[in-house]
Amino acid sequence: MSWLFGLNKGQPEPPPGLPAQPPPPPAGGSSGGGDKPKDKWSNFDPTGLERAAQAAKDLDKSRHAKEALDLARMQEQSTQLEHQSKIKEYEAAVEQLKGDQIRIQGEERRKTLNEETKQHQARAQYQDKLARQRYEDQLRQQQILNEENLRKQEESVQKQEAMRKATIEHEMELRHKNELLRIEAESKARARVERENADIIREQIRLKAAEHRQTVLESIKTAGAVFGEGFRAFVSDWDKVTATVAGLTLLAVGVYSARNATGVAGRYIEARLGKPSLVRETSRFTVGEAIKHPTVKRLKSKPQDALEGVVLSPTLEERVRDVAIATRNTRQNNGLYRNILMYGPPGTGKTLFAKKLAMHSGMDYAIMTGGDVAPMGRDGVTAMHKVFDWANTSRRGLLLFVDEADAFLRKRSTEKISEDLRATLNAFLYRTGEQSNKFMLVLASNQPEQFDWAINDRIDEIVNFALPGPDERDRLVRLYFDKYVLEPATGGRQRMKLAQFDYIAKCSEIAKRTEGMSGREISKLGVAWQAAAYSSEDGVLTEAMIDARVDDAVKQHRQKMDWLHAEEEAQAKTLTPPKPEGTSGVYFKREPDTVCNYTI
């Protein structure tokens, strides 16, 4: 209803049907002059009341009065609701401000706690660092003190040793002088006595010579008389002569028979217990070696793990473990052994696995190399048969490992080999034609493509020993670092010390740097570290010394690879003949165990 009284400046338009409001009269009018002082009622305009009264009358007269009152009431209610909603919004804003303030206080408190935690951690780390530094300083001072005491003890021992040597030398000198004086006095006295008794001594010598001559002559006469009487008595008795001749004849026959029997027995013992000339190393002992080295208990010990000390890739390790288990069960069940070919670069663990396989299976092992066959010439066939005869006498079964087998098991049709080597190869093929329950054949080669086809036919299992990967190199470096560096340094029995550095990180770094190197090269690297420590003045192996040996090993490995590649390129150029003019498609066809057929 405020618009009825003219109180609002922005007056809304009256509802339809109501009379228009009269314009307000101009201000100023009937009140007194401007000279009088104005009170609070001096500016009151009664026209508003008049307009309100007039509007109320007009509204009562209008037919829309009720609707106008309802509209006014609704406007007031809307105004009140808007006012209440603003109050609610204000209260919500206040609550939100309170929540924001609590959240900010929580964040500040959390930041304060985090900062305090960081400060406590930093203080604890700093205190721990100080404690470690104090401990290291104490250790360093103790080490310096120990070294100083050791140096003083060594100097004291050296001084005592020098004094003892000087005393001994002085005593020896005095003793030598006294001995010389005694000998000189005795010599002078003996010479004086001999000069005084020269005639008596010569007479004694003459009498002794005459007596000895008479005794010898009488002995000769007596012996001649006795021998002559005995010979005449023997010749005159024919029974004694006959018995003597028969005894000499039987003696000769016995000597001849004993010599032949000894030869036969010797050959039998050699075949059973002796080691053939082609065998370089074996676990079987002869009788003499068993007496000299009583290791029978060691031979009867429990079988070892086939992969103990052998580092291989997981796939290859699983495969060779299956081979080891199958070989062990074959021996226990007296089955037929399978022949194995192991090929790969040098130093990848072929020989070591062959020995471990024999020990794991409870078998004896014998190692021979193919390079020893060719120099034997005509004796190669006999030596080869002796090897297999000796292998068949093993009660535990024999694992015959042939290293560098491609040296004499070459192709007979394409390779230029001597007749003696060809005969030896044929003897080898004859003895390995069938599988045996007495021996197991294991061949190792770096060039298996050079084998004769008959050799390939006798192979039952082929295993590729590749170069170690990153994980295998890491295990190998750790293994040989422990074996050649840590164990001697911590054992205390050798002149070797190890500087302080991160051993595990260094081994991982070395494993990455030794890419392409074999297990044997990594083991030689461990030996080089040990030699570097022994060659130093104080016997301390430092990280710089290890890096230097690794750099040298890597350079040497690259140089070897360059030589190998150059040799392969030269062989490839040599083995590639120029194509003859006027021919096309001439090639050689290889048939197994036959001569080459020329096909055009």
Side-chain angles (χ1 to χ4, degrees), residues 269-314:
I269 293 173
E270 181 182 1
R272 289 285 179 178
L273 302 177
K275 185 179 72 173
S277 58
L278 282 177
V279 175
R280 287 295 187 91
E281 181 183 351
T282 180
S283 61
R284 295 180 63 181
F285 287 165
T286 62
V287 177
E289 291 177 348
I291 295 174
K292 187 183 299 183
H293 305 285
T295 54
V296 178
K297 293 183 179 180
R298 183 177 63 85
L299 292 178
K300 294 183 179 179
S301 61
K302 294 182 180 180
Q304 300 179 0
D305 187 8
L307 296 178
E308 183 180 359
V310 182
V311 178
L312 302 173
S313 62

Side-chain angles (χ1 to χ4, degrees), residues 275-284 342 350-356 358-359 364-370 372 387 390 398-404 440-442 444:
K275 185 179 72 173
S277 58
L278 282 177
V279 175
R280 287 295 187 91
E281 181 183 351
T282 180
S283 61
R284 295 180 63 181
M342 298 186 295
K350 299 185 289 295
T351 306
L352 179 60
F353 171 70
K355 292 182 180 180
K356 295 292 184 180
M359 294 180 182
D364 294 325
Y365 70 87
I367 299 177
M368 59 175 290
T369 178
D372 294 339
V387 169
W390 176 73
L398 181 73
L399 188 145
L400 181 60
F401 179 72
V402 184
D403 197 9
E404 304 296 338
M440 175 182 180
L441 186 64
V442 178

Side-chain angles (χ1 to χ4, degrees), residues 174-465:
L174 293 177
R175 191 176 301 167
H176 181 64
K177 290 181 179 180
N178 294 332
E179 189 71 20
L180 289 178
L181 293 175
R182 185 182 62 81
I183 293 173
E184 184 179 0
E186 289 180 355
S187 300
K188 290 180 179 180
R190 192 180 298 111
R192 186 173 63 254
V193 171
E194 288 180 356
R195 284 195 301 269
E196 294 175 354
N197 300 328
D199 297 337
I200 299 174
I201 293 172
R202 283 196 298 269
E203 185 64 24
Q204 289 178 353
I205 292 172
R206 186 181 62 79
L207 292 174
K208 287 181 180 180
E211 184 179 357
H212 179 69
R213 183 170 59 256
Q214 185 67 25
T215 303
V216 170
L217 290 175
E218 289 179 358
S219 299
I220 291 173
K221 289 178 181 180
T222 304
V226 171
F227 181 75
E229 291 294 334
F231 183 74
R232 281 194 300 271
F234 176 75
V235 172
S236 61
D237 191 353
W238 288 101
D239 294 335
K240 293 181 179 180
V241 174
T242 305
T244 302
V245 172
L248 292 175
T249 303
L250 292 176
L251 180 61
V253 173
V255 171
Y256 179 76
S257 300
R259 185 177 62 181
N260 291 336
T262 304
V264 173
R267 287 191 294 272
Y268 177 78
I269 293 173
E270 181 182 1
R272 289 285 179 178
L273 302 177
K275 185 179 72 173
S277 58
L278 282 177
V279 175
R280 287 295 187 91
E281 181 183 351
T282 180
S283 61
R284 295 180 63 181
F285 287 165
T286 62
V287 177
E289 291 177 348
I291 295 174
K292 187 183 299 183
H293 305 285
T295 54
V296 178
K297 293 183 179 180
R298 183 177 63 85
L299 292 178
K300 294 183 179 179
S301 61
K302 294 182 180 180
Q304 300 179 0
D305 187 8
L307 296 178
E308 183 180 359
V310 182
V311 178
L312 302 173
S313 62
T315 306
L316 180 58
E317 182 176 348
E318 181 180 1
R319 184 175 181 185
V320 297
R321 191 178 293 277
D322 293 339
V323 171
I325 295 173
T327 305
R328 183 177 179 182
N329 293 332
T330 301
R331 177 188 173 274
Q332 292 177 354
N333 297 300
N334 197 22
L336 298 177
Y337 294 107
R338 304 181 72 219
N339 300 328
I340 300 176
L341 169 62
M342 298 186 295
Y343 72 96
T348 52
K350 299 185 289 295
T351 306
L352 179 60
F353 171 70
K355 292 182 180 180
K356 295 292 184 180
L357 176 62
M359 294 180 182
H360 172 75
S361 306
M363 302 171 64
D364 294 325
Y365 70 87
I367 299 177
M368 59 175 290
T369 178
D372 294 339
V373 178
M376 300 192 71
R378 296 180 180 180
D379 298 332
V381 177
T382 305
M384 189 61 65
H385 285 297
K386 284 184 178 180
V387 169
F388 286 100
D389 292 339
W390 176 73
N392 288 326
T393 60
S394 176
R395 295 182 179 180
R396 304 172 58 189
L398 181 73
L399 188 145
L400 181 60
F401 179 72
V402 184
D403 197 9
E404 304 296 338
D406 53 279
F408 81 102
L409 299 180
R410 294 176 174 270
K411 299 175 182 178
R412 292 170 291 177
S413 57
T414 58
E415 298 289 342
K416 295 181 180 180
I417 60 177
S418 63
E419 293 298 328
D420 296 332
L421 188 59
R422 188 186 301 273
T424 306
L425 175 57
N426 291 332
F428 181 86
L429 293 175
Y430 171 75
R431 298 305 295 263
T432 58
E434 297 179 355
Q435 290 179 316
S436 173
N437 59 355
K438 293 292 185 180
F439 65 89
M440 175 182 180
L441 186 64
V442 178
L443 305 179
S445 173
N446 302 329
Q447 298 175 343
E449 67 276 0
Q450 297 184 0
F451 280 165
D452 190 87
W453 285 102
I455 297 296
N456 295 332
D457 184 63
R458 284 157 172 77
I459 296 173
D460 302 315
E461 187 82 17
I462 300 178
V463 182
N464 180 17
F465 282 75

Side-chain angles (χ1 to χ4, degrees), residues 26-47:
S30 61
S31 59
D35 296 335
K36 295 181 180 181
K38 295 180 180 181
D39 53 7
K40 60 180 181 179
W41 301 104
S42 61
N43 293 328
F44 178 75
D45 189 6
T47 58

Side-chain angles (χ1 to χ4, degrees), residues 467-505:
L467 291 172
D471 296 336
E472 290 74 33
R473 289 197 306 273
D474 187 72
R475 292 167 56 193
L476 286 170
V477 171
R478 294 174 188 268
L479 173 65
Y480 293 119
F481 188 82
D482 293 341
K483 181 178 180 181
Y484 295 111
V485 177
L486 286 181
E487 291 181 2
T490 57
R493 296 187 301 272
Q494 302 184 20
R495 181 185 175 271
M496 184 174 179
K497 299 179 183 178
L498 188 61
Q500 295 294 330
F501 58 89
D502 193 351
Y503 308 145
I504 299 177

Side-chain angles (χ1 to χ4, degrees), residues 11 39 75 77 94 102 110 125 141 163 189 195 201 254 283 307 341 345 366 408 454 462-463 500 528 540 549:
Q11 294 180 353
D39 53 7
Q75 287 180 351
Q77 291 177 356
V94 170
I102 294 172
R110 186 173 60 255
Q125 291 177 357
Q141 292 176 1
M163 293 173 63
R195 284 195 301 269
I201 293 172
S283 61
L307 296 178
L341 169 62
F408 81 102
I462 300 178
V463 182
Q500 295 294 330
V540 178
R549 293 302 182 275

